[in-house]
């Protein structure tokens, strides 16, 4: 599989060219996502003057934007040229995100945070609109029998790039004056946007298999009437709600409460990415032997355990505990990301897949949006609470609730279809 992906493009069949493009196109996208997102997004928002509630709101935006996937799924027949619309939506997303680097130069300081959130919102509405089209296109492009291994290898490559980007980004911010460091990051991302546009154009434009339902509401009723799918999706959406109270704010806690510097935060997050990189490969191989729902039941308790491990700060040095936390989190999140993707493209009928994808994205998007908002509000309300509550208490209580969900409810709703 890896040999096929890395062959020179001119020697490949049309199908292999498509698989190769999906790998290469993701590299500049990964560069942008990791130099402008994750802990460096939190760092930029702190530079703009954001507090925990504003940071929570910004981190919730990508999940909120998932709701727009429903609109795309309703009118999927109007987007038959999926390659064209994936390219348009993706480029607008990345151009707008890169343009947030101009805020300190073009916008009065009192409006910096508001301007960022506004541009970031529009950017991720475009990103999620592209997402449902891209997912349906790639699901048609990748043969079902190699799907687990292919996405395991693809994600491994991308997270290797992500780890390198995050380390370099942290060093740039540490070695240059703060404003100059962000300028360098945004210039790199502008160049990556051009590269990404070239690769997006190389995707094959596979024919879209239309839904057998003529009515939009009948299309929507398909996933809503699939009880096994719906209960699993509602469970995962609830799990994400609780998880996102704390996990997206890990970087905020490390930077603003534990007071680690950029280097430590980026090193710790990079360690998580390296672990995710390897875990994608192994989860992908496991997915060729075990059912997706079974593996999801294994991955979710690992995420819960990572949150619980924050309590180790009471006994051990914070940096050591945070490295362990992010290693465990990398294993769990790597499994969830790969398996949730395979769940919505593997357990769904091909003709109805865009609507299944959109319903999954909408439900998890709503809860994923509420989670960071609630988390930001909780951290703000507890600003005067004891240090242990702010530093590890919230994560510890969240982890305990997630573990109960994963071990008690997970086996019931994630059981295999008969």
């Amino acid at each position: 599989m890896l040999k096929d992906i890395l062959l020179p493009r001119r020697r490949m069949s049309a199908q292999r060219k498509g698989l190769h493009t999906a790998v290469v196109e993701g590299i500049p996208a990964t560069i942008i996502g990791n130099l402008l997102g994750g802990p460096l997004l939190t760092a930029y928002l702190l530079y703009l003057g954001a507090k925990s509630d504003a940071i929570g709101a910004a981190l919730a935006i990508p999940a909120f934007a998932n709701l727009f996937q429903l609109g795309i799924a309703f009118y999927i027949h109007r987007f038959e040229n999926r390659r064209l619309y994936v390219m348009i939506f993706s480029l607008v997303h990345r151009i707008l995100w890169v343009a947030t680097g101009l805020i300190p130069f073009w916008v009065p300081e009192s409006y910096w945070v508001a301007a960022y959130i506004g541009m970031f919102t529009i950017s991720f509405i475009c990103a999620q609109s592209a997402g449902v089209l891209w997912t349906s296109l790639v699901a048609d492009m990748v043969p079902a029998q190699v799907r687990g291994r292919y996405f395991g290898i693809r994600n491994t490559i991308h997270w290797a790039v992500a780890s390198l980007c995050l380390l370099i980004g942290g060093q740039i911010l540490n070695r240059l004056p703060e404003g100059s460091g962000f300028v360098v990051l945004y210039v790199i991302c502008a160049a990556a946007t051009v590269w990404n546009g070239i690769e997006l154009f190389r995707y094959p434009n596979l024919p879209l298999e239309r839904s057998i339902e003529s009515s939009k509401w009948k299309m929507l009723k398909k996933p809503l009437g699939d009880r096994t799918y719906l209960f699993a999706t509602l469970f995962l959406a609830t799990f994400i709600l609780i998880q996102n109270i704390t996990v997206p704010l890990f970087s905020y806690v490390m930077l603003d409460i534990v007071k680690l510097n950029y280097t430590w935060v980026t090193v710790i997050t990079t360690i998580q990415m390296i672990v995710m990189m390897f875990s994608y490969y192994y989860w992908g191989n496991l997915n060729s032997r075990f059912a997706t729902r079974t593996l999801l039941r294994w991955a979710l308790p690992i995420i819960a355990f990572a949150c619980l491990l924050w309590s180790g700060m009471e006994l051990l040095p914070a940096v050591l505990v945070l490295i362990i936390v992010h290693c465990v989190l990398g294993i769990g999140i790597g499994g969830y990301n790969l398996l949730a993707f395979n769940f919505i493209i593997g357990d769904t009928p091909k003709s109805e897949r865009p609507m299944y994808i959109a319903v999954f994205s909408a439900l998890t998007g709503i809860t994923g949006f509420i989670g960071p908002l609630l988390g930001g509000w909780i951290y703000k309300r507890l600003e005067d609470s004891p240090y242990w509550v702010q530093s590890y208490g919230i994560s510890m209580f969240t982890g305990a609730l997630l573990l109960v969900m994963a071990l008690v409810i997970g086996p019931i709703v994630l059981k295999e279809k008969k």
Side-chain angles (χ1 to χ4, degrees), residues 15 82 134-143 147 206-209 345 350-351 353:
Q15 183 183 56
R82 287 178 290 179
W134 181 88
T135 303
S136 69
L137 176 63
V138 171
D140 292 348
M141 194 171 69
V142 182
R147 199 170 278 152
L206 301 179
L208 174 67
E209 184 172 329
I345 68 173
K350 184 176 179 181
S351 62
R353 189 172 288 148

Side-chain angles (χ1 to χ4, degrees), residues 176-208:
L176 295 176
E178 198 169 38
S180 301
F182 285 119
V183 168
V184 173
L185 295 185
Y186 274 90
V187 168
I188 294 171
C189 290
T193 299
V194 176
W195 178 15
N196 183 252
I198 294 169
E199 294 299 332
L200 285 167
F201 183 74
R202 289 176 168 158
Y203 271 113
N205 187 30
L206 301 179
L208 174 67

